Amino acid sequence: MAQINENFLRLEKNYLFINIAKKLNAFKEAHPDADIIKMGIGDVTQPIAKCVVEAMKKGADEMGVKETFRGYEDSGAGYDFLREAVSGYYKSFGVDIPADDIRINDGAKSDCGNIVDIFGDDNIVLVTDPAYPVYVDTNVMSGRKVIYADSNEENGFAAMPDENVKCDLIYLCSPNNPTGSVYTKEQLKVWIDYAKKNNAVIIYDSAYEAFITEDNIPRSIFAVEGAKECAIEMCSLSKTAGFTGMRCGYTVVPHELMAKASDGTEVSLAQLWGRREGSKFNGVSYPVQCAAAAVFTPEGQEQIKENIRYYQHNAKVISAAFDEIGIKYTGGKNSPYIWFKCPDGMGSWEFFDFLLENANVVGTPGEGFGKNGEGWFRLTAFGDRDRTVEAMERIKKLLAK
Ligand code: PLP
């Protein structure tokens, strides 16, 4: 008899987006004329940059010609032209990552989950709470013990390590989803020192690095001394260049990163990761890799930044409205997310209903991201500009005391 992986039964039921959809549908049925504005989505809305689309078309055309057709990519790690381009991108903000340490993937979500294949099931995993749900789910699925570091109002939603807590794997995300908070270099150095002291590995999700506006906020954990001996980084073109429907990202496992086997032998994690990928992953499609490479050209950078500026402007509209009515928040400055406390002590879901009923605006209840999200709420800057302005006018009217 086939036995199931019983760990799946331990997963929290993911009610968040199902509940939102249910409540929204019920509201629409009761108020068919309501002009609803969605500020809850974490997906991008602007079309992909022209030169990126052109590069993808060219790649697709090459596949239809005998001389330029390509089948499997030999290494599965990504074409050299793209890995070099990513390496050059890191260099542009002062981080030296050789192309050999980079592997191209179909998005950061996959690798945030896949990476745990190279770690033992007895590892204790530390996740900051609230968090992007993949970090917890993927480790629960493989039966690992998950513990939490609280991100809360007191620490500006940037949890720091507790020296008395021991762990082996640490998930960090900056700029953070859902809170929009960021770690400074000094804060990351504390995490790096803590990881080294515990022989732990940091899994660093930098999916929103392109939204960083402040020069002193690192775009990569590898901008901080010592990270290459204790960290792995995942990044994605999803939010940077609108690739949520194209699927392309990259993972950096530095060649310096070593871990010990139970007999004390030093093992390269990059080698283990390469071995895992060689067995389970056959790479990203050629046209998508061509498109991704175009993102890193000067023309591509200029064009994708136009979209990022569009979202950043929306983030400013949201933050400015909250500043005006005196609602405190994190995010917005270096992130497309704005995270705030529900007014008058309302719970996250209570405020969701209140906002929908009284402003016809949909957001995301914070408790869907962990216990510290209870009583908090997320709005995103990925919407249409005029609709964002309209939504914030309604919210101002509703919440101004
Ligand atoms: N990491 C974080 C923090 C995210 O919020 C998301 C998507 O919302 C991802 C990773 C997933 O990115 P991808 O589309 O590359 O899988």
Side-chain angles (χ1 to χ4, degrees):
M1 188 180 82
Q3 288 172 19
I4 61 161
N5 177 350
E6 303 250 340
N7 293 318
F8 277 66
L9 307 179
R10 293 172 49 223
L11 289 169
E12 290 280 334
K13 298 280 174 292
N14 195 354
Y15 289 131
L16 181 66
F17 290 100
I18 298 167
N19 262 2
I20 291 176
K22 261 194 204 155
K23 279 175 177 279
L24 186 56
N25 286 340
F27 185 80
K28 275 186 191 160
E29 239 169 67
H31 307 87
D33 297 328
D35 176 23
I36 295 166
I37 306 179
K38 291 185 184 170
M39 305 266 288
I41 40 161
D43 200 352
V44 288
T45 53
Q46 294 298 301
I48 289 168
K50 278 216 160 48
C51 72
V52 174
V53 173
E54 284 310 316
M56 182 165 59
K57 282 185 188 163
K58 188 167 168 284
D61 283 343
E62 285 174 32
M63 296 298 254
V65 175
K66 190 167 180 15
E67 288 69 30
T68 50
F69 163 80
R70 294 170 190 246
Y72 290 124
E73 172 209 317
D74 288 342
S75 71
Y79 287 105
D80 286 346
F81 65 78
L82 180 53
R83 296 162 85 198
E84 292 290 349
V86 174
S87 171
Y89 179 63
Y90 270 107
K91 210 160 269 160
S92 73
F93 45 83
V95 175
D96 183 25
I97 302 289
D100 281 350
D101 289 358
I102 299 163
R103 295 187 73 97
I104 306 302
N105 59 35
D106 63 352
K109 189 179 200 171
S110 314
D111 275 4
C112 285
N114 293 338
I115 196 74
V116 301
D117 274 5
I118 65 170
F119 295 102
D121 289 345
D122 290 337
N123 281 308
I124 296 174
V125 183
L126 180 81
V127 178
T128 60
D129 174 303
Y132 181 52
V134 180
Y135 315 147
V136 173
D137 286 356
T138 200
N139 282 292
V140 169
M141 284 172 189
S142 31
R144 286 187 194 87
K145 181 177 175 188
V146 179
I147 58 174
Y148 297 92
D150 292 330
S151 295
N152 52 32
E153 200 170 5
E154 287 73 52
N155 57 33
F157 286 95
M160 295 304 293
D162 177 344
E163 290 299 334
N164 300 316
V165 171
K166 298 265 169 264
C167 67
D168 309 298
L169 297 177
I170 302 162
Y171 278 88
L172 299 179
C173 176
S174 174
N176 189 273
N177 179 14
T179 70
S181 63
V182 283
Y183 282 120
T184 61
K185 270 192 182 172
E186 293 70 29
Q187 287 173 315
L188 284 182
K189 184 74 175 84
V190 175
W191 275 109
I192 288 167
D193 291 344
Y194 168 79
K196 285 187 163 175
K197 204 168 144 198
N198 283 279
N199 289 321
V201 173
I202 296 173
I203 299 168
Y204 191 78
D205 184 342
S206 62
Y208 297 93
E209 60 79 19
F211 289 83
I212 292 175
T213 56
E214 292 177 299
D215 289 341
N216 60 337
I217 302 298
R219 309 267 298 261
S220 159
I221 193 166
F222 301 120
V224 186
E225 195 209 320
K228 286 183 178 173
E229 290 92 52
C230 67
I232 289 171
E233 180 162 293
M234 271 115 204
C235 197
S236 164
L237 295 183
S238 280
K239 310 298 159 84
T240 305
F243 271 50
T244 50
M246 302 259 279
R247 313 305 309 143
C248 195
Y250 45 93
T251 293
V252 176
V253 184
H255 60 270
E256 292 92 338
L257 182 55
M258 306 297 282
K260 278 204 172 78
S262 54
D263 66 1
T265 325
E266 290 241 302
V267 179
S268 150
L269 287 182
Q271 269 174 24
L272 286 194
W273 178 234
R275 185 68 183 81
R276 186 267 174 214
E277 291 287 87
S279 292
K280 292 198 185 183
F281 186 60
N282 257 343
V284 175
S285 84
Y286 175 67
V288 168
Q289 292 198 52
C290 292
V295 168
F296 299 108
T297 61
E299 194 188 6
Q301 285 292 296
E302 196 34 59
Q303 291 183 14
I304 61 148
K305 278 179 187 154
E306 233 171 82
N307 281 355
I308 291 172
R309 281 193 288 266
Y310 182 97
Y311 300 133
Q312 283 171 332
H313 181 88
N314 286 349
K316 269 193 195 144
V317 168
I318 302 170
S319 326
F322 283 158
D323 287 340
E324 208 180 309
I325 56 175
I327 287 188
K328 282 197 194 137
Y329 56 89
T330 52
K333 198 178 258 177
N334 298 297
S335 157
Y337 297 120
I338 288 91
W339 176 256
F340 61 100
K341 199 182 206 164
C342 303
D344 304 325
M346 276 190 248
S348 295
W349 281 108
E350 196 186 345
F351 183 66
F352 175 91
D353 292 333
F354 177 77
L355 195 61
L356 180 58
E357 275 158 29
N358 296 289
N360 298 168
V361 172
V362 182
T364 313
E367 66 181 76
F369 301 97
K371 78 170 169 56
N372 288 304
E374 281 171 26
W376 291 76
F377 208 75
R378 189 190 79 173
L379 292 181
T380 90
F382 286 126
D384 175 82
R385 179 164 299 173
D386 293 342
R387 300 293 280 163
T388 302
V389 170
E390 165 69 20
M392 294 319 294
E393 283 307 315
R394 293 184 197 172
I395 290 178
K396 269 196 295 189
K397 241 186 235 155
L398 182 66
L399 301 185
K401 290 267 156 40

